[in-house]
Amino acid sequence: MKAEQDGDLLEEDSPQDNGVQTNQYSSISPPASPVAQEEPFSTYFEDKVHIPEDVSQVFSFRKLWAFTGPGFLMSIAYLDPGNIESDLQSGAKAGFKLLWVLLGATIIGLLLQRLAARLGVVTGMHLAEVCNRQYPTVPRIILWMMVELAIIGSDMQEVIGCAIALNLLSVGRIPLWAGVLITITDTFVFLFLDKYGLRKLEAFFGFLITVMALSFGYEYVLVKPNQAELLKGMFLPYCAGCGPVQLEQAVGIVGAVIMPHNIYLHSALVKSRDIDRKNKKEVKEANKYFFIESTIALFISFLINVFVVAVFAQAFYNKTNADVNESCNKTGSPHTDLFPLNNNTLEVDIYKGGVVLGCVFGPAALYIWAIGILAAGQSSTMTGTYSGQFVMEGFLNLRWSRFARVLLTRSIAITPTLLVAIFQDVQHLTGMNDFLNVLQSMQLPFALIPILTFTSLTSIMNDFANGLVWKISGGIVILVVCAINMYFVVVYVTSLNSVLLYVFAALLTVAYLCFVGYLAWHCLVALGVSCLDFGSRTQMGLSRHTDIYLLSDMDSDTVVER
């Protein structure tokens, strides 16, 4: 019976009839059988935002406003506490010299987010769902575990960032572990705001971004950075007098800006708009407006990041612990002991950064900094929870209630975060942040390679598949980003000075590279590298004619009219 159905499928939906040029490698594997698809399941957003019809205009602000939302939720990942910490360290260690790296990383991030948004718009499925349908069982499970690790690492930084902000605002009265519990609790409350409407939820995220802009903008105006040096550092790709410390910081900027789970998040958020995916014109229009909105959102996030870098570059570049100790003594700060009386270069993190601002520019600067960090941590914690839900639902095909999904997602990250908060002092979290940055850097290929693979397949994207320029540039960008982040990992591992850890890291590296190689092989075949198209996929346990499976089995709205 199955064979007869397959035969009918081949006759009715041949690649030639659909205008799609295919081969046996043009997708990864046939999707799961469309069982129980009669009642479509909403991943999270049950109500979709209506798009106004305005056919007479090439560009409409009303339509742009209707599409505005997903890009700003996505941009929160560019403003999380990990990014803020990377910014302030960049300013303190390299001055204005690495702003061009931040600009380049943001542009690369925008291009990758464009691919994520296009996948969601064209297919009506987010990246985790497409991975679930396209990869075989074992690689799919490994991929899910790797992405979950990235989300846990990011979530720990975000929750602890909120806890640090609460500690600063309460003058130490709220310990780190209590701040973690408060953050987790209020995240549950805020996440249910979408019960009152998706637009209200998006407006709340817009409010948090505004709080960040005003808080860090206040610090920027207070410090009055040198504008000429700022522009020079932003547009002159050179770092005069830089050494290994600045090089590691540059690598850290790229790793902090480009977050693996954010690719999965953005591909899901765009599903919140009411788009007729059978209409090619509407799909093309949605791609255009989502790209414009993402550009605006990331431009705003870039400005906020620049505020932080510039403040610490102007006020604390080349400063020593003794300099800050003297300033803290003058103001009577209770945190003077954080900065020993030596001539070592000042080392700052989110907590010490706030203390330093308070010592030099007064208590108002400290409290306003803490408010900005709280807004950054709270918003990124919420979007991190959304990411966890999308990834879990997509890879595991969950059909749970909303409360159960939120509870499970939060529970995965709460245990390690709470343990860190209980046993780690708020003043000594830099080592943990370095480890979490390395953890997330290692997970980048598991988002970047699949998104380039699937957006390059005509069988999935139809007329919206990546062209030759996008395939080549996308491949180069992903290769560079992954190489930069692997360098960061190597630097971190070699600094541990432990033979046992070296051996353990070597074993993990072999397994890691094998899996990355597997994903990269399929990606290269999807990009058209025919020399890697080894024989029949049937010999590998994968089926032929997968394009036809995709065109028929992905939900009925997937195929765009030609």
Side-chain angles (χ1 to χ4, degrees):
M1 184 65 183
K2 181 70 172 66
E4 292 175 6
Q5 291 174 348
D6 288 350
D8 294 338
L9 199 62
L10 292 173
E11 289 181 356
E12 294 172 9
D13 293 314
S14 69
Q16 290 79 10
D17 293 342
N18 286 282
V20 180
Q21 297 300 318
T22 68
N23 58 47
Q24 61 186 5
Y25 277 92
S26 41
S27 64
I28 301 304
S29 74
S33 177
V35 178
Q37 293 294 324
E38 291 80 7
E39 297 183 8
F41 174 75
S42 172
T43 303
Y44 199 87
F45 304 109
E46 296 173 355
D47 298 323
K48 294 194 174 184
V49 176
H50 175 69
I51 306 301
E53 295 183 8
D54 196 354
V55 294
S56 60
Q57 295 185 17
V58 177
F59 178 83
S60 167
F61 281 102
R62 287 179 64 235
K63 282 192 175 182
L64 178 60
W65 177 248
F67 281 105
T68 297
F72 281 89
L73 267 70
M74 168 273 296
S75 71
I76 294 293
Y78 292 75
L79 294 168
D80 71 350
N83 273 286
I84 301 301
E85 182 161 311
S86 173
D87 292 338
L88 64 90
Q89 289 177 347
S90 170
K93 293 179 180 179
F96 299 98
K97 299 175 185 177
L98 295 180
L99 277 172
W100 63 273
V101 178
L102 177 62
L103 176 62
T106 305
I107 293 172
I108 291 173
L110 174 63
L111 300 179
L112 294 171
Q113 299 298 159
R114 173 186 180 271
L115 296 181
R118 286 173 70 89
L119 180 71
V121 169
V122 174
T123 66
M125 300 169 65
H126 57 74
L127 181 56
E129 291 174 313
V130 177
C131 290
N132 182 39
R133 286 175 175 258
Q134 299 305 105
Y135 286 119
T137 303
V138 174
R140 183 170 70 239
I141 293 174
I142 297 174
L143 195 59
W144 167 66
M145 293 172 63
M146 294 298 101
V147 178
E148 283 293 347
L149 279 176
I151 293 173
I152 291 171
S154 174
D155 205 26
M156 289 179 67
Q157 286 182 314
E158 293 155 0
V159 172
I160 290 176
C162 281
I164 289 174
L166 291 171
N167 183 273
L168 287 171
L169 287 170
S170 65
V171 198
R173 292 186 180 91
I174 300 178
L176 199 61
W177 62 268
V180 168
L181 291 178
I182 292 171
T183 302
I184 291 170
T185 303
D186 63 26
T187 298
F188 273 102
V189 175
F190 292 139
L191 278 171
F192 286 98
L193 281 175
D194 70 338
K195 292 175 71 72
Y196 298 97
L198 181 59
R199 297 297 271 176
K200 290 184 176 65
L201 177 70
E202 292 172 346
F204 179 68
F205 277 96
F207 167 74
L208 292 176
I209 292 174
T210 303
V211 170
M212 283 184 265
L214 292 175
S215 299
F216 300 132
Y218 168 83
E219 310 285 358
Y220 182 85
V221 173
L222 183 68
V223 174
K224 298 182 178 64
N226 186 318
Q227 300 301 306
E229 287 296 316
L230 187 149
L231 292 174
K232 179 181 176 182
M234 190 179 298
F235 297 108
L236 185 63
Y238 182 68
C239 190
C242 292
V245 172
Q246 288 75 23
L247 177 60
E248 289 178 27
Q249 191 58 49
V251 172
I253 290 173
V254 178
V257 168
I258 303 172
M259 310 281 281
H261 67 277
N262 208 34
I263 305 295
Y264 288 86
L265 174 68
H266 198 194
S267 65
L269 292 173
V270 296
K271 294 172 61 177
S272 61
R273 268 44 185 181
D274 187 14
I275 302 165
D276 181 8
R277 287 180 290 107
K278 293 179 181 179
N279 187 322
K280 181 178 178 180
K281 183 179 178 181
E282 281 196 28
V283 173
K284 185 176 181 180
E285 183 180 68
N287 285 330
K288 177 181 76 174
Y289 282 107
F290 275 131
F291 181 67
I292 294 172
E293 186 237 1
S294 297
T295 303
I296 296 171
L298 288 188
F299 176 71
I300 293 172
S301 72
F302 172 71
L303 288 181
I304 295 173
N305 283 314
V306 168
F307 289 162
V308 179
V309 174
V311 164
F312 283 83
Q314 182 69 34
F316 305 113
Y317 177 51
N318 278 337
K319 290 291 177 65
T320 65
N321 287 321
D323 295 332
V324 177
N325 185 290
E326 182 182 352
S327 299
C328 289
N329 270 324
K330 288 179 180 178
T331 58
S333 171
H335 305 291
T336 306
D337 58 334
L338 282 177
F339 310 101
L341 281 170
N342 58 44
N343 289 321
N344 293 341
T345 303
L346 177 67
E347 291 281 345
V348 286
D349 51 28
I350 290 177
Y351 180 77
K352 291 179 181 177
V355 171
V356 166
L357 287 171
C359 289
V360 178
F361 299 104
L366 184 152
Y367 292 124
I368 292 173
W369 168 263
I371 290 171
I373 295 297
L374 183 61
Q378 189 63 70
S379 56
S380 55
T381 298
M382 293 164 65
T383 55
T385 303
Y386 278 126
S387 300
Q389 291 179 67
F390 294 137
V391 166
M392 200 167 277
E393 291 161 3
F395 278 109
L396 303 184
N397 200 28
L398 292 181
R399 295 292 184 269
W400 291 6
S401 69
R402 174 174 302 190
F403 179 77
R405 299 196 311 256
V406 175
L407 184 62
L408 177 62
T409 305
R410 299 306 296 150
S411 299
I412 288 179
I414 186 174
T415 303
T417 306
L418 201 53
L419 288 174
V420 168
I422 292 171
F423 295 107
Q424 186 75 282
D425 187 82
V426 69
Q427 301 173 7
H428 304 93
L429 290 170
T430 304
M432 187 207 69
N433 279 322
D434 289 343
F435 171 75
L436 293 176
N437 285 333
V438 168
L439 179 67
Q440 292 174 80
S441 296
M442 292 184 67
Q443 312 312 316
L444 263 177
F446 307 125
L448 304 190
I449 295 177
I451 195 64
L452 182 62
T453 300
F454 298 134
T455 54
S456 298
L457 292 173
T458 309
S459 55
I460 293 177
M461 300 293 290
N462 290 287
D463 290 345
F464 297 95
N466 294 330
L468 181 61
V469 173
W470 266 99
K471 289 179 179 179
I472 294 174
S473 59
I476 293 173
V477 163
I478 290 174
L479 182 64
V480 170
V481 169
C482 291
I484 287 173
N485 282 279
M486 284 309 298
Y487 171 81
F488 184 44
V489 172
V490 170
V491 168
Y492 177 80
V493 172
T494 52
S495 68
L496 298 176
N497 296 320
S498 170
V499 176
L500 183 62
L501 288 175
Y502 290 161
V503 173
F504 182 67
L507 294 175
L508 283 180
T509 300
V510 172
Y512 174 85
L513 291 177
C514 286
F515 186 57
V516 171
Y518 170 85
L519 297 177
W521 170 59
H522 285 297
C523 182
L524 289 171
V525 173
L527 293 177
V529 183
S530 57
C531 62
L532 296 178
D533 192 344
F534 305 125
S536 172
R537 301 186 66 179
T538 306
Q539 298 173 0
M540 299 173 54
L542 304 175
S543 301
R544 301 180 63 182
H545 307 299
T546 50
D547 287 46
I548 302 165
Y549 272 99
L550 282 166
L551 291 173
S552 301
D553 286 356
M554 290 177 75
D555 77 40
S556 59
D557 292 338
T558 300
V559 183
V560 178
E561 287 185 356
R562 294 178 171 274

